[in-house]
Each structure stands twice: as structure tokens, then as C-alpha cells.
Amino acid sequence: DGTVVSTNSTYSFTATEDRTLVANFIARYTVTLISNPTGAGTLVGAGTYDDGSSVTLTAVAATGYVFSDWTENGVAIATTSTCEITVTSDRDITANFIPLYTISLSVNPENSGTVTGAGTYTSGTQRTVRATANAGYEFGSWTENGEVVSTESTYIFTLSANRTLVANFT
């Protein structure tokens, strides 16, 4: 008659009259979490849950990465590192992280000028470094590993790796 008589999967009772019992089942679904790239962060929230459960997902970026977004089937579902989902089916959810890269700058010869733009930034961002000559010097070039990468005192590039640049003055 719609009254819960037990929440255990085994129910024992004394039969004293005809009874109609209904076993009610709850669907269970699996939430799988994937880090992209692998090892770029720690993920919390994977597991098996009852249908309709609310689950909090948490992504913590590893050193050298920053959290970007959560995606499912290639579609963004959240842009914060902690989000809540409702489980109504099996779900494969990816936490996407972006690498961080460092730009290191130096001056050659020493005290011949100043440079700006050093720091740690996300991969794929456009960065600008600037060299300014001190009195008695002129800017010559930016070099990396001994190779000239620009002859402009303002050098703009898309960051895709750690960069160690030298501003050369004459």
C-alpha cells in the first residue's frame, strides 16, 4: 500500500495474511574523471552514485599548470575548479589544465639597459618583452640559446614553452 516496510535488500516477516510486496530499485551510475593532460591535476568526485545524486567535482592543478574548465563530450560544462553535477547516467568528465611557462630575461652586457615582461604565464598567451637602453647604449637584439630571435626592442610572441631571452646592447 505504498508504505516502506524495509530498506534492506532482505526482508523477513511472519505471513499471517495475503500480502503484495514491491521491491523498489534505484539505478546507480558511474562518474569517471579524466585529467587533460594526464597528471596535470588531482581530481575528486569520481565514483558510483544513485540516480539523481548531486555530486561535487573538484580539480586541483599540479605545479606548473592552471585549471581551465570541465568538459563532457567536448562541451564545456563548468569553468570553475569546483562544480556540482546531477548524476542521471554514466558520465565521463574531463578536467582541462593549461601549462604555465616562465619567461626569464637578462641584459648583455650587464647594466647596459633594462627589460620588462619576465614572469610566469599560461601557454598560448601572447606575451610582450621590452628592452630599454641605458645612456650610452643602443639596443641590438633579443637572443635565445645564442640565436637571434628579434632585432626589435619590443618582441611579441605566443608562449608555448619556457623562454630564456637575453637583451643585447651595444
Side-chain angles (χ1 to χ4, degrees), residues 62-66 98-105 116-129 157 159-163:
T63 301
Y65 291 90
V66 63
I98 300 170
L100 293 173
Y101 293 120
T102 300
I103 300 172
S104 300
L105 303 176
T116 61
T120 301
Y121 307 98
T122 56
S123 175
T125 57
Q126 191 171 37
R127 304 309 317 159
T128 301
V129 293
F157 55 91
L159 192 59
S160 60
N162 290 324
R163 303 286 306 261

Side-chain angles (χ1 to χ4, degrees), residues 3 18 37 48 52 56 62 73 76 88 91-93 97 101 107 118 120 123 131 133 135 140 149 151-152 166 168:
T3 302
D18 289 344
T48 303
T56 300
N73 300 317
T88 57
R91 299 184 70 175
D92 294 334
I93 300 175
F97 298 91
Y101 293 120
V107 173
T120 301
S123 175
V149 294
T151 56
E152 300 294 323
V166 178
N168 299 286

Side-chain angles (χ1 to χ4, degrees), residues 31 33 42-47 49 53-59 70 77-78 80-87 91 93:
V31 173
L33 300 179
T42 303
L43 310 177
V44 177
Y49 299 95
S53 293
S54 180
V55 177
T56 300
L57 306 180
T58 304
W70 293 99
I77 60 170
T80 57
S81 61
T82 299
C83 73
E84 195 168 303
I85 63 167
T86 301
V87 180
R91 299 184 70 175
I93 300 175

Side-chain angles (χ1 to χ4, degrees), residues 143-157:
T143 57
E144 186 170 27
N145 299 320
E147 301 288 325
V148 173
V149 294
S150 178
T151 56
E152 300 294 323
S153 62
T154 298
Y155 175 37
I156 301 169
F157 55 91

